[in-house]
Amino acid sequence: MGLSWQQGPLGRNPNGQFLVPEMPPRVLYAEPLRRRMRAELDGRTVVQSDDAVLLFEPGRYPVAYFPSADFADGALRPTDRRTEHPELGETAWFEVIAGARHAARGAWQHVALPDRASILKDKVALAWHAMDAFYEEDDRILGHAADPYHRIDIRHTSRHLVVRAGARVIADTTGPVVLYESGFAPRWYVPRDDVVAEALTAVDLQTFCPYKGVASYYDIDGVSQAAWSYRAPFDDMAAIGDLVSFEPDRVEVTLDGERLELEPGQTVVSHGIDRNLSVDEAGALTAVVGGAS
């Protein structure tokens, strides 16, 4: 979650509220990225820029717009396609070319911007899934343009957390780890030593988070996908590596004797695997990018 996605302030279902008499139904926000960013197609740099701008649009991941002058020669081929953006006006589309690779409708530019949107003048956006890779400096960015308003804080605590499936105790710990993620309800993670290992049945499901890595899921006593774990997360998320978290609406989770309920912001819209990556490839990238094994 960030500024404009899911429960973000500019998202479709914000976790909080603006304390003003009235807000327009759609609020767009743009700001300079202030990081060197580049995109590759077919092993070639299509664009590299220190002057990209991020556009935040309700219900969408942030999108990076690059100055047209920073694209490689011949990388953009105009097409006849034109669309109309509700706030930003007429939009022209481009084919992106790198060697023998052509990405149809791989880029777009708003060509009749209102004065209020001049920050996007002469800037071109790339369709994330049309490119092979995006980088900030030399580090690959997965999933979507990194959202500077997305934050994750991980804290260790001595609170008493117990997980039950029916009458059976599945986990009991006084050393859980809590993950606070922008806009979402807290998620509680339990060390493996405090979990009944045989109660977890691994299932053939994995999902990908651009900030944490690949999550693996478990059934518990016939309850489907009641728990998950990031077995080898990115370095920044090492504190939850191989710990187990439980869905409070599928099994009973109590914290200091009080049962946890599914809260607003608890349900997460799963992010698909980046571009054409398989889950296995994303897992390999998690190990490479995060240094995990």
Side-chain angles (χ1 to χ4, degrees), residues 261-277:
E261 303 289 346
L262 192 68
E263 302 177 35
Q266 193 84 33
T267 300
V268 178
V269 177
S270 177
H271 192 287
I273 293 300
D274 190 52
R275 301 172 202 83
N276 296 320
L277 296 178

Side-chain angles (χ1 to χ4, degrees), residues 101-251:
R101 289 279 300 281
H102 292 207
R105 300 180 183 179
W108 67 90
Q109 180 182 27
H110 306 296
V111 294
L113 287 164
D115 290 342
R116 64 180 179 275
S118 60
I119 191 173
L120 298 178
K121 183 176 174 58
D122 296 325
K123 292 184 174 63
V124 176
L126 289 168
W128 195 266
H129 292 290
M131 299 296 103
D132 288 340
F134 284 81
Y135 296 84
E136 287 183 357
E137 296 296 340
D138 293 331
D139 289 340
R140 185 170 176 182
I141 306 302
L142 298 174
H144 54 76
D147 190 333
Y149 296 97
H150 182 282
R151 181 184 176 106
I152 295 177
D153 293 304
I154 299 173
R155 300 290 182 260
H156 295 80
T157 180
S158 57
R159 298 174 71 176
H160 187 200
L161 187 142
V162 180
V163 180
R164 294 181 177 87
R168 185 185 187 189
V169 174
I170 305 300
D172 190 333
T173 186
T174 54
V177 171
V178 57
L179 184 145
Y180 299 104
E181 187 166 4
S182 302
F184 294 131
R187 291 293 199 175
W188 298 86
Y189 286 80
V190 179
R192 290 268 174 176
D193 288 346
D194 294 332
V195 178
V196 178
E198 58 268 24
L200 303 181
T201 302
V203 298
D204 188 20
L205 172 67
Q206 292 181 310
T207 58
F208 172 69
C209 171
Y211 299 98
K212 296 187 284 291
V214 175
S216 301
Y217 290 79
Y218 305 92
D219 292 347
I220 298 176
D221 289 351
V223 180
S224 177
Q225 299 168 29
W228 73 92
S229 178
Y230 289 94
R231 305 303 302 268
F234 295 132
D235 275 355
D236 290 347
M237 299 292 111
I240 62 166
D242 207 27
L243 275 61
V244 184
S245 193
F246 298 86
E247 291 285 9
D249 59 330
R250 302 189 184 191
V251 290

